Amino acid sequence: MSSFQRSSSVLSTQGRPSKRVASSSTSSSASPASIARKIFLVKYGLHLAPGCIDWLERFVKHFGIEDEQEISDSFEHLVRGVVGSGSGLDGPSKITEELLEETYEKLLVSADQPDDGTGDDLDPSNYLKLINAFDMPLWRWDDNRGGFEKSKTKPTLAPGALSKAQYLRDRFNIIKQVILRNEHFSAPTVVGPERHDYMKLTTIKNLLGRQGGHFLIFGLLTRMEDGEFYLEDLDDKVKLDLSEATPESGLFTEGSFVLIDGDYTHDSVFKVAEMGHPPSERRNQAMKIHGHHDLLGVGALSAAEEADLIQAEQSPAHATSFILLSDLHLDNPKILTALRSMLGVYDEMDEKEIPRLFILCGNFRSRPWLADGENIREYTDLFAQVANLLSSFPDLLAHSQFLLVPGPTDPWSSSVLPRPPLPESLLKPLLAKIPNVTLGTNPCRVRWFSQEIVVFRDDLMARMMRNAVRFNGDEGVKRGDLKKALVQTILDQAHLAPLPLPVRPVFWEFDHALRLYPMPTTLVLADSFDPYKLVYEQCLVFNPGSFMRKKFSWSTYHPHMAEVKERMEESELPDEY
């Protein structure tokens, strides 16, 4: 049997192969290097980066494996771990030392986990992680390798000028690789009548000298100093004529990446016939390709691990709920009273039914923040009241966590994304009294077993509508369709802020914290707009709306539900409140 199939006690005591162990020959008739080349290169057609052969030899030496069959079995197990993580056979990434190390550690963990078929004995507290936007590792897109490459330097709030161009290049390349993988845009391997009309992209540079032709181009929709719209890609730009353009579904804003179909006129202007958003890629498809990358900084999941965690999270033993409130104006006495009543209902529940997480989104005051002594005292007093309120519910405090996400006008108010957490100096009474409170960034993420939940508090609907491009003869999106148009736009753009920097500034080197690729399991767009719930490409998107409307209402999320559309329900207090 292979070294990975030995008892978990042996695996846990062996540790990882030390780099100080020199490679040496074994009693096997074939050397570990030749066996590795036979399995990785010949059998599976995988490309090994420099250093991989040495790592595999150290691995064999570390475990004292001498039998040729056992070496082969161990390397086969490694290959299956790599392939199952979405690399190797499922994607363009070559096998690296880092990937072998990550795969080995995952296999160690899985060997240590008891296998009862249900995952009922897993401790759920180990599978709930709250992720700060500024803690997410920076993964750059490497167009040469066709995959993500982890930055060797940590992102900074004061980067060099090159970072301003780099984050847009990353967004461009990530979306373009999704387009080129889409069946409607990928060139057929065998030309036939059924694929003769596939949609072929043309770069803007290749329009040169081809006036009078009809083309499909992709790029960034932008407005130049002359006030006209242009489309930009990595090499060039072209002026657009939108006078007869027909937009497809969604909202189109300056700063979004779009597909444009039309004619390149003799005066070198691109006359647009149709404009559409790029196709999105479902989470399971993206995870097969890039799932081995730890994009959140909390551990990557292989396809097999994700399947096991999905089974565990849907087990009745792990049934729970998350409560989401938005616009919790603490300076309104009615809201504090309603909050007390709501928490009282959950506090009286059976221990197993108490929600595991309360996500409280700002704005936490009805008036915008101003940095002066009076505002500082008021915020401190308001959260002191919250501390007293929460301390009156001991059962909730024993079983629930509380995540606070700042709103657009909370301190320290700034339009730059991602936004830092609420300042600890203003929440000292709360943090001193309630230990299980986490101050989250905006946006922030929640990992629950296999699920990734993105929480973003912004008045996004109003912002996108203000900056949407108006087309001739376009009567605009009807209010009933606005929700679908917004959701489609955000997920197709794979970004929380597809807007130009003057409208929605971002910290260049933390733009990756706003990415929605791979697509999350659930996206919470907390907004003052009307509440809604939609499922788009198997991603649940919802807005809990403001806590105080005609009734006091919020959203309850049930992560254990197998049907995506059934995971969120609207909740409200009875009429007497």
Side-chain angles (χ1 to χ4, degrees):
M1 67 180 168
S2 74
S3 61
F4 292 112
Q5 296 169 321
R6 297 174 183 173
S7 68
S8 60
S9 59
V10 173
L11 283 173
S12 61
T13 56
Q14 291 287 350
R16 64 170 58 85
S18 169
K19 292 189 176 182
R20 291 174 294 178
V21 179
S23 61
S24 62
S25 62
T26 69
S27 60
S28 168
S29 58
S31 69
S34 63
I35 296 173
R37 293 187 180 95
K38 179 180 178 182
I39 291 175
F40 283 85
L41 301 179
V42 178
K43 183 175 181 179
Y44 291 99
L46 300 175
H47 177 59
L48 291 171
C52 286
I53 294 294
D54 291 340
W55 189 96
L56 292 167
E57 288 185 322
R58 290 195 303 269
F59 173 85
V60 170
K61 176 67 176 179
H62 180 78
F63 283 105
I65 310 173
E66 297 184 354
D67 181 72
E68 181 176 342
Q69 184 60 49
E70 189 174 355
I71 295 174
S72 298
D73 291 343
S74 296
F75 288 173
E76 287 274 0
H77 209 69
L78 270 173
V79 170
R80 287 194 293 272
V82 170
V83 172
S85 70
S87 189
L89 298 181
D90 292 333
S93 300
K94 61 185 176 184
I95 309 303
T96 62
E97 283 189 81
E98 182 184 17
L99 183 54
L100 287 172
E101 189 84 12
E102 290 176 358
T103 303
Y104 168 69
E105 290 179 351
K106 290 177 188 175
L107 292 170
L108 278 180
V109 171
S110 63
D112 284 334
Q113 292 293 335
D115 184 14
D116 61 0
T118 64
D120 289 357
D121 58 342
L122 297 179
D123 183 358
S125 61
N126 294 332
Y127 295 90
L128 176 63
K129 302 181 186 299
L130 308 179
I131 303 162
N132 185 311
F134 295 103
D135 292 336
M136 290 177 59
L138 174 58
W139 290 82
R140 297 285 194 194
W141 181 265
D142 188 329
D143 201 36
N144 294 323
R145 291 182 60 245
F148 289 101
E149 187 79 20
K150 191 173 183 179
S151 175
K152 297 180 180 179
T153 59
K154 289 186 177 181
T156 172
L157 295 177
L162 292 178
S163 294
K164 185 177 182 180
Q166 183 62 48
Y167 88 87
L168 284 174
R169 295 176 72 91
D170 286 341
R171 283 188 58 199
F172 176 92
N173 283 318
I174 289 171
I175 294 176
K176 187 174 180 180
Q177 55 100 17
V178 171
I179 295 173
L180 295 179
R181 263 199 308 275
N182 186 276
E183 60 178 350
H184 299 294
F185 295 89
S186 57
T189 54
V190 178
V191 178
E194 68 281 0
R195 290 302 311 278
H196 183 69
D197 59 347
Y198 85 97
M199 293 179 279
K200 182 180 180 181
L201 286 181
T202 300
T203 62
I204 295 176
K205 184 171 66 175
N206 284 339
L207 296 177
L208 185 64
R210 303 172 71 181
Q211 286 84 350
H214 190 89
F215 302 98
L216 176 66
I217 56 178
F218 167 69
L220 178 70
L221 185 62
T222 185
R223 195 191 296 264
M224 296 295 181
E225 292 80 0
D226 59 3
E228 299 292 335
F229 281 105
Y230 286 74
L231 194 75
E232 285 187 274
D233 63 12
L234 298 184
D235 301 311
D236 210 340
K237 64 179 183 294
V238 63
K239 187 176 180 179
L240 302 178
D241 177 359
L242 301 177
S243 60
E244 298 180 13
T246 301
E248 296 183 3
S249 56
L251 301 173
F252 296 89
T253 60
E254 181 188 353
S256 59
F257 289 91
V258 295
L259 287 162
I260 290 180
D261 183 71
D263 299 309
Y264 189 49
T265 65
H266 291 283
D267 54 358
S268 299
V269 174
F270 199 91
K271 191 173 183 63
V272 180
E274 290 183 292
M275 179 185 294
H277 287 290
S280 57
E281 188 171 69
R282 291 183 176 181
R283 176 178 175 84
N284 59 348
Q285 295 173 296
M287 292 298 286
K288 286 181 181 179
I289 302 169
H290 306 295
H292 63 281
H293 294 309
D294 186 12
L295 300 177
L296 300 183
V298 293
L301 295 177
S302 69
E305 288 172 320
E306 185 163 21
D308 290 341
L309 290 183
I310 290 174
Q311 183 180 14
E313 74 195 14
Q314 293 177 3
S315 167
H318 299 140
T320 188
S321 61
F322 302 158
I323 307 302
L324 297 102
L325 298 85
S326 187
D327 277 340
L328 194 63
H329 295 161
L330 302 176
D331 56 339
N332 187 329
K334 292 182 179 180
I335 285 183
L336 279 177
T337 301
L339 179 62
R340 179 179 292 277
S341 300
M342 185 203 77
L343 293 175
V345 172
Y346 291 116
D347 189 63
E348 294 174 358
M349 286 183 170
D350 182 78
E351 177 181 320
K352 293 182 179 180
E353 296 178 343
I354 292 178
R356 183 167 290 274
L357 178 64
F358 287 82
I359 301 177
L360 312 180
C361 299
N363 301 309
F364 290 104
R365 199 177 67 164
S366 57
R367 293 173 290 113
W369 161 263
L370 295 174
D372 58 31
E374 180 182 352
N375 280 268
I376 291 175
R377 284 191 297 272
E378 183 176 1
Y379 258 90
T380 304
D381 292 342
L382 289 175
F383 282 102
Q385 294 180 49
V386 174
N388 293 332
L389 190 156
L390 292 178
S391 62
S392 62
F393 300 111
D395 286 344
L396 282 185
L397 296 184
H399 300 95
S400 303
Q401 293 192 46
F402 296 84
L403 173 63
L404 274 58
V405 180
T409 64
D410 283 320
W412 315 106
S413 57
S414 168
S415 59
V416 185
L417 293 176
R419 288 201 54 196
L422 293 167
E424 292 185 11
S425 58
L426 301 183
L427 278 72
K428 285 182 180 179
L430 177 65
L431 299 176
K433 207 166 188 177
I434 311 299
N436 47 341
V437 170
T438 299
L439 304 183
T441 55
N442 187 17
C444 61
R445 299 178 190 237
V446 178
R447 167 73 74 79
W448 171 254
F449 285 93
S450 74
Q451 295 186 33
E452 177 188 347
I453 304 164
V454 177
V455 180
F456 184 43
R457 172 61 186 99
D458 191 36
D459 292 330
L460 189 59
M461 180 68 80
R463 194 184 304 274
M464 292 291 287
M465 289 301 296
R466 283 196 303 268
N467 294 279
V469 177
R470 308 301 178 194
F471 297 89
N472 290 338
D474 179 20
E475 298 178 357
V477 183
K478 296 180 180 179
R479 187 172 181 84
D481 297 330
L482 279 175
K483 304 163 187 176
K484 182 178 179 181
L486 176 68
V487 169
Q488 177 189 345
T489 300
I490 296 301
L491 290 180
D492 285 352
Q493 291 293 317
H495 201 272
L496 288 169
L499 294 161
L501 281 179
V503 174
R504 202 49 164 138
V506 299
F507 291 116
W508 306 333
E509 289 206 348
F510 290 94
D511 183 75
H512 63 284
L514 307 178
R515 290 178 194 159
L516 297 176
Y517 184 85
M519 193 180 290
T521 311
T522 302
L523 173 60
V524 181
L525 295 177
D527 198 325
S528 57
F529 190 75
D530 301 338
Y532 58 82
K533 175 177 74 171
L534 291 169
V535 177
Y536 183 74
E537 294 294 351
Q538 298 182 344
C539 176
L540 174 63
V541 185
F542 66 90
N543 169 30
S546 299
F547 180 53
M548 181 176 172
R549 295 192 299 276
K550 292 181 179 179
K551 294 183 178 181
F552 292 98
S553 59
W554 62 95
S555 293
T556 303
Y557 182 73
H558 303 282
H560 60 280
M561 301 293 287
E563 287 291 330
V564 175
K565 62 182 179 181
E566 296 178 359
R567 288 179 181 166
M568 193 283 281
E569 63 177 356
E570 292 188 18
S571 305
E572 60 184 28
L573 288 176
D575 291 336
E576 57 263 29
Y577 295 99

